[in-house]
Amino acid sequence: MNTYTKVTPEIVSELSTIVGNNNLISDFDRMENYGHDETSKEEYGHMPEVVVMPQSCEQVAQVMRLATRYHIPVTPRGAGSGLSGGAIPLFGGIVLSVEKMNKVLEIDEKNLTVTAEAGIITNELNNQVIEHKLFFAGYPMSLETCFLGGNIAENAGGGRAVKYGVTGRYVLGLEIVTPDGRIVNLGGKVTKDVSGYDLKQLYIGSEGTLGIITKATIKLLGLPTAKADLLVPFKTAEEAIAVVSVIMTKGIVPTSIEFMDRTSLQMSCNYLNETLPLEKVGAMLLIELDGSEEKQVEADMISVGDLCEANGAMEVYIAEDKNTQERIWSVRRNIAEALKVYSPVQSLEDIVVPIGSIPLVLPKLTMLSEKYGVTIPCYGHAGDGNLHATIVKNPESTMEHWHEIEPMILRELYAFIVTELGGKISGEHGIGIKRREFLREVISDTEYDLFCALKKAFDPQMIMNPGKIIRIQ
Amino acid sequence: MNTYTKVTPEIVSELSTIVGNNNLISDFDRMENYGHDETSKEEYGHMPEVVVMPQSCEQVAQVMRLATRYHIPVTPRGAGSGLSGGAIPLFGGIVLSVEKMNKVLEIDEKNLTVTAEAGIITNELNNQVIEHKLFFAGYPMSLETCFLGGNIAENAGGGRAVKYGVTGRYVLGLEIVTPDGRIVNLGGKVTKDVSGYDLKQLYIGSEGTLGIITKATIKLLGLPTAKADLLVPFKTAEEAIAVVSVIMTKGIVPTSIEFMDRTSLQMSCNYLNETLPLEKVGAMLLIELDGSEEKQVEADMISVGDLCEANGAMEVYIAEDKNTQERIWSVRRNIAEALKVYSPVQSLEDIVVPIGSIPLVLPKLTMLSEKYGVTIPCYGHAGDGNLHATIVKNPESTMEHWHEIEPMILRELYAFIVTELGGKISGEHGIGIKRREFLREVISDTEYDLFCALKKAFDPQMIMNPGKIIRIQ
C-alpha cells in the first residue's frame, strides 16, 4: 500500500504561491463540494486536503511537480458531474479543479475546429460554435453542467452517439500535463495520424489517471439544417426495445434512439412538472433524425415511423418545432436526476451490449428485480446498446439489507452482460471507484496486468488520481 | 544495445514442433521474400533467421513463449505490402507470418459485424460481406493484396477516409498475443465501451511492436446503394488542390477526394496502358460520393461539380457506371506501383496537414524540387490533407548524391509540415524503420519518453518487432 505525504500548511502555502490565494481552498466547509461527484456521497465521497484552481497549463504543471516532489496524490476535477467517482480524492491530497480554465481559445473555420480549455461547460462551447453554423457532435446528457475536459477524460457518450459516435471521435488534439509536471501536446488539427503510438487516444477515457487534460482541439461538423424527433409509445418495454435492433439494421442511421421505461418517464415528468400522454404506456422511444436535407430527414422519419408502427407502436408523435423537441429531450435528460430525487439510495448502471442482444437485457432486469425485491427502472441510449438500468432500494428494506444485496445484484447482472451477451459493464460513465472491484472480476488477468503496466509506466509514483480504474498496490 | 539469441538448428526444430514442418521456412532462398516489404529492399531490407506461419492463435502464443524464453526478436508480418518497413526483421530472428490464418469466422447480420483472422486479404473480406449487402468502410489502396491484420497494425487509411474515417474506427474487437505469449481479447461487438483503458485502440496503429493481432471483429455498414465518381481536371495542381478545402467546408461530405498531379497520372496510365484526356491538364481530382438515396447523391454530385467549375475546373467528367468507376480508381490505386517502375530509387512520403493548409504544401514541394534537382510527383487523399509526395532520384545523379540529399530533403519537408503547418510526417503508412529517426526529431522529448515507457511496459524484453517506431536502447 502506497503511503502519501499529508498536505501541511507549508505545502498549502507553496501551492498558494503557484496558483494565487484566490484560487486555493483549504477550509473544510468550502472544500465539501469537492469531496464527491454525482455518485452517492455517503458511499463514495472523500474529502480533499486542499483544492487548487490553476488558471493556466503552466500552473497545472507546477502543481504536479510539487506533488511529485512531496509524493501527494492529485485528483483532477471537471464539473463533478461524473457518475463513477472519477473526480473523488480517494486518498485526500490535492483536488485540481480546472474550473478557472474555461475559455474558448480559437474557432478555426478553415479547418472546422475549436480549441478550448478543459474547464469550459459543454453547452457554452456549443453556443459559441453554433454562431458559426458549426457543431460539436458530442452530446452528454449533463451538457448544461459538464466540462469539456471531463467529457474527454471519461470519453462521454450521450444522445447522439448512434450516428456521430462518442466524444473521442472528435478530439483532434490534446494538451496534457503528465504526473511529473511536463506539458505535452498530442495530435493537432490533422484528421489522420499514425506518427507513432496514439497517446491522444489513450488519454481519452483514462479518467484522469495518466495525466491532466488542460486543452483540447475538437473537430466540428457543419450544423445540420434539418431535424425531426419522434416520440413513440409502446404498451410494453419489451416491444419498444425490440424495435431498436429492427431500426438499426435497416440502413437508416438515426441520430439517437433513446429508450425510457414507464417509471423513468413518470419520475422525470413529475420532477419537471411536465405532462406526457402515458396512459397504458409501458415505455417510449425517442428517436431523432438530422441531416442537411429536409426532404431526406422527412423520408427517414416516415420510414422509421412506419417501422415502429409495424412493430407494435401505439402511436408516433412527431416533434418538428424546436420548443417541443427541447421539452421532450428535457424529459429524457432529467431522468437520472428525477430518479435520484425519488430515491437517493440507488445504483445507476451503464451496461452496454451488442445491439442484437438488447432485447435480452430487460427479462434479466425483471428477474433480478423480483429475486431481490428492488425496482429497476431502465432508460438510456438503446441505439448503442447502452442502458442505464437503475437499481433502486426498496423504501421498506433496511440500509443493511441494501448493502448486502446491491453487490449481489451487480455481480449477477455484470456476469450476465459480460459472459452471456458479450457486453461491458460501462458504456460511457467509466469505472472510477464505483465499478473498480467489479471490473477486476469480469476482465481477464492479462488485460488487468496490462492496465497495471500501463498505469505504472505513465505514473510510476502513483500520484495521478490513484485508486481509479485499478487498485493501487 | 540489446543482444538477441541466434536462432540455432535446435530452436528451428522446436519451432517446427509448434507450427509443423510445412509452416516453417529456414532456407535462405525461400526466406528472401520475408526480408523486405514495399519499401526499398536495398535500403531497408534485412533477412530473417527463420519464418514461421502458425495456423492458430494458440500456435502464435507458443512461438512468443519460445521467443521470450530464448530472447529472440519476432517480427509479425501480414502481406508485406507496408510502406515504412514495419514487417522487416531488422534484427533477424523470427518472422511470424499470419498468411495461413486467413478465414472469415463469422458474419453477424444481427450485429452488423464480421470476425476474421488477421491474414485475410482485405478484398476477400469485402467480397464476402458484400454478399450480405454489408460493407467494410476501410479502403486501403493495396486492398487487392494487404491483410486485415496489417491494416489494423498500421491503422490504414485509404480512399474513403474523408467520409468514413480510417480502419481503426471500425475495429470493435481484437484478439492479441502478447510478447510473452499470452492471449488477450479486447473489446467485442459493443459500439461504446469505457470499461478501463482503451487497449484495443492502443494496439491499432502500433505497428506490431506491442503484440500480434491474430483476430479482429469489424463493424460493418449497410452497403451504399448509390455512388458517383467525378473526375475533374485542372490546368494547374495549385488550382486543383485549392478546391479541396472549398469543398470540405461546404457541408457536403464526399466519400473521397483524391488528388493526382500530371506526372502521377501519366505514369499510372502508361503502366496500365490506360488513356485519360490529359491535354493541358496539370492535375485531377477524383471525387466520390455515395449514399443510400440516389437523388441525394445526384444532388451532391451537382453541387460538388458546380463548386469545381466555379473554381477553375477545365471539365467535370461523371463516371456513373461501375466499369468506368473501377477504371478511374485503378489509375489512382496504381500510381505508387507505376512510380516505382519508373524510378525504383525514391522516397514515397505520407505527410498530412490540416485541410486548410493543403494549398501551402505544393509550393514547398516545388521549391524543394528545384533546390535539390529532383522530381516530386504528388498524389493522395487530399480530402484528409494526406499527400503522397514522392521524391524521385534524378536519373543523371549518382547514388552517392541521392543518399546525401534524400535526408536533407526529408528534414526540410518534415520541419515545414510539422512546425509551420501543424501537420504530421505520416498519415497512414506509419513510422516503421523508414521514418524512425525523423520522428524523433519532430516530436517532443516528453512524447518520445512516453513512447519508450509504453513500449517497455508492454514488451519489457524488447523482442516484439524491435527497432520500429522507436530505437531500442
Side-chain angles (χ1 to χ4, degrees), chain B residues 20-56:
Chain B
N21 251 334
N22 291 337
N23 302 313
L24 180 144
I25 306 174
S26 58
D27 57 298
F28 196 87
D29 285 356
R30 284 179 59 221
M31 285 201 297
E32 192 133 30
N33 269 337
Y34 296 87
H36 64 96
D37 62 2
E38 289 295 318
T39 53
S40 155
K41 189 173 156 184
E42 288 66 35
E43 207 165 339
Y44 304 107
H46 193 288
M47 283 298 284
E49 294 166 69
V50 62
V51 177
V52 295
M53 293 161 283
Q55 291 178 293
S56 70

Side-chain angles (χ1 to χ4, degrees), chain A residues 67-78:
Chain A
T68 297
R69 204 160 64 238
Y70 289 114
H71 196 57
I72 299 169
V74 177
T75 304
R77 183 181 180 91

Side-chain angles (χ1 to χ4, degrees), chain A residues 57 101 103-108 113-120 125 129 136 147-153 167-168 170-176 184-189 200 203-204 212-220:
Chain A
C57 171
M101 297 170 67
K103 285 182 288 298
V104 167
L105 302 171
E106 183 199 41
I107 295 174
D108 180 346
T113 62
V114 57
T115 301
E117 291 179 310
I120 192 162
L125 183 82
V129 300
F136 166 37
F147 291 178
L148 178 64
N151 292 348
I152 299 169
T167 302
Y170 298 92
V171 180
L172 295 181
L174 284 181
E175 180 184 74
I176 299 280
V184 60
N185 280 283
L186 303 170
K189 290 182 181 174
K200 184 189 73 190
Y203 280 105
I204 295 167
I212 301 179
I213 298 164
T214 47
K215 197 168 88 184
T217 297
I218 301 292
K219 183 179 174 176
L220 300 172

Side-chain angles (χ1 to χ4, degrees), chain A residues 145-166:
Chain A
T145 52
C146 68
F147 291 178
L148 178 64
N151 292 348
I152 299 169
E154 299 289 327
N155 200 7
R160 289 177 187 145
V162 179
K163 178 169 175 179
Y164 293 108
V166 296

